[in-house]
Amino acid sequence: MARKNYSKQHLSLENQVAKLKGNGLVIHNEHYAQKCLVQYNYYRLSAYWHIFRNPDPLDPRKKLSTFKQNSTFESSILLYEFDKALRQLIFKAISEFETFFRTQLAYIIPTIKNDAFALYDQSLFLHRPHQKPPYDYFKLLNTINTDIDRAKHEDFIQHYKRTYNNSYLGQPKLPFWMVTEVLSFGTLKNIYSHLKVPNKNKIVDCFNIKDSANTSTLNKYYSINFKDLDSYLFLINKYRNICAHHGRLWNRKVKNGLKVDSITALDLTGHQDAGLYALFIILARLLEPTGYAKEWKDSVYNLIKNSFPLHDISLYTTLPSDWEKHPIWHKL
């Protein structure tokens, strides 16, 4: 298909409202609509009234600019506000998980060889830059140095530079428990991915649930494979970025977000492209060692039960109608 030049013009708030009404969207209070458009942005809100638009009869993958009968602006705002509340809960869960994960890396990796500077010990990490998937240890170190440089004005880094002469590539060579405090989640994920398998297993073990009362019949969800955690970290990082940029979350998918084995391990067959169902179950499982899982699951369930504005969320998302009955959500 031939590409064309972008020709849409900027519209005043009054004209934005007029355009929506002209396309059939019911707006009961134009002043309220303008207030929402100022606060949230027409383009951002368009992702929430998208589902109210008529399908293109020539291509079911597309939508027309006109709206289905009786669709209201207020309904799209309710959906936006539901998504905002859901996004806050998801980000809270990711933050709790991230703090726990960051702490385990900071504590365990230096203990492998009793080395505060374990990060700079290449023997702990993979370096296979020309294989698939590639692992480039030196590229990882450069990324870490970039994160350190970004945090160079932090008081503890300034103190370290004034007190110690350790350095690497022009940046302070920090003890591992210190460097983890300035790394992005994506960099933390890459550190885990680059660890050799025995070292990955030391991290994964922190997420495994011990059942001292009945060790002979362990729940199949109690253990996590090191490869599966790799996959879950990739997915969490994607959704973390969506949350951090206040993006649409409720019916979002991440294409090829999960590996097949990691889907099977948590009984998520058919959810390789992720979506809410996979995200809910993975976060619920990974939050278990933090002590925050039940509180978070209750909050999510109550939000969906009491605040989703379109009645049945399973009609619009990857959540099945009985999503809350998954054993990890219901019993773990």
Side-chain angles (χ1 to χ4, degrees):
M1 180 183 295
R3 292 185 294 177
K4 57 185 179 181
N5 291 329
Y6 189 86
S7 59
K8 293 182 181 180
Q9 299 296 312
H10 172 267
L11 297 176
S12 67
L13 292 174
E14 293 81 2
N15 286 339
Q16 289 177 20
V17 170
K19 179 180 179 180
L20 291 171
K21 292 180 69 174
N23 284 330
L25 186 64
V26 177
I27 298 178
H28 293 109
N29 185 328
E30 293 190 14
H31 177 72
Y32 172 73
Q34 289 186 29
K35 181 180 177 181
C36 291
L37 290 166
V38 166
Q39 185 172 356
Y40 302 135
N41 182 3
Y42 183 103
Y43 190 73
R44 177 182 293 274
L45 288 176
S46 68
Y48 296 90
W49 60 60
H50 181 80
I51 64 169
F52 301 117
R53 289 162 55 188
N54 286 309
D56 187 335
L58 301 179
D59 187 346
R61 297 170 300 176
K62 296 181 179 180
K63 297 274 191 176
L64 300 176
S65 59
T66 57
F67 290 91
K68 298 174 185 177
Q69 190 174 8
N70 299 322
S71 296
T72 69
F73 179 85
E74 290 77 10
S75 294
S76 67
I77 296 301
L78 287 175
L79 186 57
Y80 177 88
E81 291 173 345
F82 165 81
D83 192 42
K84 179 180 178 181
L86 177 64
R87 189 166 57 244
Q88 289 170 342
L89 283 175
I90 294 296
F91 195 65
K92 172 65 173 170
I94 292 174
S95 297
E96 292 287 340
F97 162 76
E98 179 180 335
T99 300
F100 182 82
F101 179 62
R102 192 180 293 269
T103 301
Q104 304 320 304
L105 289 177
Y107 178 76
I108 292 170
I109 292 180
T111 67
I112 296 173
K113 289 188 176 181
N114 192 26
D115 181 7
F117 300 103
L119 179 62
Y120 306 94
D121 182 351
Q122 187 182 345
S123 70
L124 302 182
F125 299 89
L126 298 168
H127 182 67
R128 303 192 303 241
H130 303 299
Q131 297 184 20
K132 290 187 178 181
Y135 296 98
D136 192 326
Y137 170 73
F138 299 107
K139 184 177 179 180
L140 173 66
L141 286 182
N142 283 331
T143 300
I144 290 167
N145 257 23
T146 299
D147 285 3
I148 294 172
D149 184 63
R150 193 178 297 118
K152 62 187 176 183
H153 297 299
E154 292 282 352
D155 289 343
F156 70 94
I157 292 182
Q158 289 293 315
H159 170 75
Y160 188 89
K161 290 172 70 173
R162 289 193 302 267
T163 308
Y164 304 101
N165 59 11
N166 306 74
S167 64
Y168 177 83
L169 293 179
Q171 295 297 336
K173 186 177 180 181
L174 302 176
F176 197 82
W177 50 82
M178 192 179 294
V179 74
T180 55
E181 290 302 305
V182 301
L183 300 181
S184 69
F185 181 76
T187 304
L188 290 171
K189 173 185 72 68
N190 288 336
I191 287 176
Y192 171 81
S193 297
H194 279 73
L195 285 170
K196 291 181 177 177
V197 171
N199 302 328
K200 280 187 177 181
N201 282 330
K202 294 178 187 294
I203 305 299
V204 171
D205 192 53
C206 297
F207 292 96
N208 292 336
I209 300 171
K210 310 298 189 297
D211 186 355
S212 57
N214 191 3
T215 55
S216 61
T217 56
L218 288 177
N219 187 312
K220 70 175 183 176
Y221 303 113
Y222 279 10
S223 296
I224 294 179
N225 183 281
F226 73 90
K227 291 182 181 178
D228 295 341
L229 184 57
D230 247 327
S231 186
Y232 304 151
L233 290 173
F234 174 83
L235 183 70
I236 288 172
N237 193 45
K238 290 289 186 180
Y239 278 102
R240 187 188 187 284
N241 290 337
I242 291 170
C243 291
H245 292 91
H246 314 289
R248 174 179 52 86
L249 177 75
W250 74 286
N251 62 348
R252 195 79 164 258
K253 292 183 180 180
V254 175
K255 190 168 180 60
N256 297 319
L258 291 168
K259 296 176 182 176
V260 174
D261 289 345
S262 67
I263 296 170
T264 304
L266 296 185
D267 287 342
L268 292 170
T269 301
H271 292 270
Q272 188 170 350
D273 288 343
L276 276 191
Y277 190 46
L279 182 63
F280 281 2
I281 300 307
I282 288 168
L283 284 176
R285 174 58 186 87
L286 293 178
L287 283 175
E288 198 64 34
T290 72
Y292 179 62
K294 186 180 186 309
E295 176 187 342
W296 178 74
K297 288 189 288 186
D298 288 346
S299 296
V300 170
Y301 177 78
N302 289 332
L303 176 68
I304 291 176
K305 183 178 180 181
N306 299 320
S307 300
F308 183 67
L310 303 179
H311 305 298
D312 186 356
I313 196 169
S314 67
L315 298 177
Y316 305 93
T317 69
T318 60
L319 291 175
S321 57
D322 60 348
W323 65 271
E324 76 280 6
K325 294 181 180 178
H326 190 292
I328 287 178
W329 195 273
H330 183 57
K331 294 180 179 179
L332 198 63

